[in-house]
């Protein structure tokens, strides 16, 4: 029988928590006609600005080819555009359009609702401690805290 000390695994608890947040967000988005992947595309664009398809796929944990269909649908809806990269003509940059702004407002409201549910019962001090612990884990694993910060240097505020 396969055995592992899952109860002692930080990765297990992080993965299970992430999955629970994603499920809750998917459930919240569905009645509005949005998907988790659409949320992720616009969230990364809100956080980092324009990104190449490869960069966006990497952030989302997808293969670039898998992302194509999602981007095609979002482009047809008018939420994103593909623009030529001025420094590398082989790349297209994914850019949120003005038409994405009202959509983003709805998506962000859904995320805030899930966030409120997720942190219910936690004190401000507990939330600060949680953020500190997670930052330390990221740094220990070689992920700089700056990679979870927006272009303006502010923390990610729209993540669930």
């Amino acid at each position: 029988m396969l055995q592992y000390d899952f109860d002692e695994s930080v990765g297990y608890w992080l993965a299970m928590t992430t999955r629970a947040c994603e499920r809750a967000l998917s459930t919240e988005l569905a009645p509005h006609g949005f998907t988790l992947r659409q949320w992720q595309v616009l969230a990364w664009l809100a956080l980092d600005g324009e990104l190449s398809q490869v960069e966006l796929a990497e952030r989302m944990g997808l293969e670039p080819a898998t992302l194509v269909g999602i981007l095609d649908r979002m482009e047809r809806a008018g939420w994103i555009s593909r623009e030529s990269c001025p420094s590398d003509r082989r790349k297209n940059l994914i850019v949120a359009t003005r038409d994405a702004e009202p959509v983003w407002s709805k998506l962000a409201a859904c995320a805030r609702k899930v966030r409120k549910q997720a942190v219910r019962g936690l004190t401000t001090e507990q939330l600060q401690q949680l953020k500190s612990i997670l930052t330390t884990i990221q740094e220990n694993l070689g992920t700089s805290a700056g990679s979870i910060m927006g272009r303006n240097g502010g923390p990610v505020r729209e993540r669930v």
Side-chain angles (χ1 to χ4, degrees), residues 61-94:
L62 298 174
E63 290 296 320
T66 304
L67 184 57
V68 170
I70 298 163
L71 295 178
D72 286 346
R73 286 186 296 281
M74 293 179 76
E75 188 172 35
R76 280 193 302 274
W79 303 344
I80 62 155
S81 64
R82 292 174 168 112
E83 299 179 5
S84 295
C85 177
S87 62
D88 185 348
R89 289 183 290 175
R90 297 170 294 174
K91 287 198 293 190
N92 280 326
L93 298 176
I94 310 304

Side-chain angles (χ1 to χ4, degrees), residues 1-25:
M1 186 65 172
L2 303 175
Q3 293 184 4
Y4 185 76
D5 56 343
F6 287 103
D7 199 49
E8 301 300 319
S9 171
V10 172
Y12 168 79
W13 290 107
L14 291 172
M16 296 306 289
T17 302
T18 298
R19 187 66 196 114
C21 286
E22 288 176 344
R23 255 192 324 271
L25 183 55

